């Protein structure tokens, strides 16, 4: 829920933690909470943090620069400098150097001149890339806005969360190998708790 100024109410880490704690106190041991890292939240035995220590929130994982670039390729709107990589369908055959080129084509346009240390990202298919720490830790909602500013075509998905849904529906349904592995680790952790 949002208040009249657009701020979130009745959501967030504190609310999730309190609900999970109350359910646990009444004997429900099968409930777990999942929250964003937001730069400092720590996992507990009942509340797990998405990509703790590396990504601000789940949106940062799903708006990974590789996934955004693949979305742009699918829409036939590749970023500049990628004329030799113009295919979406064969993306799962790209080598590591080309994957990094796709990542860089997005992240350097969103954060030009930024060189603030990389965060190594592993994808389900075993490929890796280096994402700028400032990209991975940018406020997740600000990241969505920054992507739309850098790539005006993405304004096609202007509602909050629409760009994330486009990545899931248009990219990850066809290229599951590029799902960021921290999502898998998160759900495996909950399933094995």
């Amino acid at each position: 829920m949002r208040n009249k100024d657009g701020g979130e109410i009745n959501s967030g880490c504190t609310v999730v933690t309190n609900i999970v704690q109350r359910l646990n106190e009444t004997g429900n041991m099968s409930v777990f909470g999942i929250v964003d890292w937001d730069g400092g939240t720590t996992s507990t035995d009942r509340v797990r943090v998405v990509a703790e220590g590396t990504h601000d929130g789940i949106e940062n994982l799903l708006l990974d620069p590789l996934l955004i670039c693949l979305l742009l390729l699918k829409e036939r709107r590749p970023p500049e400098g990628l004329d030799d990589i113009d295919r979406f369908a064969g993306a799962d055959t790209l080598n590591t150097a080309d994957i990094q080129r796709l990542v860089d084509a997005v992240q350097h346009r969103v954060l030009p001149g930024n060189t603030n240390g990389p965060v190594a990202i592993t994808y389900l298919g075993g490929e890796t890339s280096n994402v700028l720490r400032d990209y991975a830790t940018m406020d997740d909602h600000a990241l969505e806005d920054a992507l739309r500013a850098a790539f005006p075509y993405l304004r096609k998905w202007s509602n909050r969360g629409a760009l994330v849904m486009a990545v899931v529906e248009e990219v990850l349904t066809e290229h599951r190998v590029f799902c960021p592995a921290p999502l898998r680790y998160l759900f495996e952790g909950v399933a094995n708790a």
Side-chain angles (χ1 to χ4, degrees):
M1 293 180 78
R2 296 195 181 275
N3 64 19
K4 64 180 178 159
D5 298 320
E8 293 184 12
I9 56 174
N10 296 327
S11 63
C13 181
T14 303
V15 172
V16 170
T17 301
N18 289 339
I19 290 170
V20 170
Q21 182 178 348
R22 280 191 220 125
L23 288 169
N24 184 260
E25 288 169 356
T26 62
N28 189 333
M29 302 302 286
S30 63
V31 174
F32 290 86
I34 297 175
V35 296
D36 288 341
W37 177 50
D38 290 330
T41 308
T42 304
S43 289
T44 67
D45 61 332
R46 309 297 304 170
V47 177
R48 303 301 168 95
V49 176
V50 176
E52 186 172 352
T54 63
H55 289 75
D56 187 69
I58 194 167
E59 291 91 342
N60 298 68
L61 282 172
L62 293 171
L63 297 175
D64 181 279
L66 174 60
L67 300 177
I68 293 296
C69 196
L70 290 173
L71 179 62
L72 290 166
L73 286 172
K74 184 172 186 179
E75 295 287 319
R76 297 190 172 126
R77 306 281 184 159
E80 291 179 27
L82 297 178
D83 297 333
D84 60 317
I85 305 175
D86 61 353
R87 63 191 192 287
F88 173 80
D92 56 347
T93 64
L94 292 170
N95 63 42
T96 302
D98 284 336
I99 287 172
Q100 190 61 50
R101 284 180 58 215
L102 297 180
V103 167
D104 290 343
V106 170
Q107 67 183 357
H108 292 306
R109 190 142 163 209
V110 171
L111 297 169
N114 187 302
T115 58
N116 185 10
V119 173
I121 304 298
T122 301
Y123 303 97
L124 290 184
E127 291 292 342
T128 61
S129 73
N130 290 308
V131 175
L132 294 170
R133 183 166 304 284
D134 287 348
Y135 186 103
T137 59
M138 181 184 289
D139 174 78
D140 42 1
H141 302 298
L143 176 58
E144 214 173 332
D145 294 338
L147 284 163
R148 286 191 198 100
F151 300 99
Y153 182 78
L154 297 177
R155 292 180 186 149
K156 170 180 177 178
W157 298 284
S158 61
N159 294 333
R160 181 75 60 203
L163 186 54
V164 168
M165 287 304 300
V167 166
V168 171
E169 293 172 354
E170 301 296 328
V171 177
L172 290 176
T173 56
E174 293 185 49
H175 291 299
R176 290 184 183 111
V177 295
F178 293 127
C179 180
L183 289 172
R184 177 181 182 177
Y185 305 149
L186 171 72
F187 290 108
E188 284 178 345
V190 169
N192 295 323

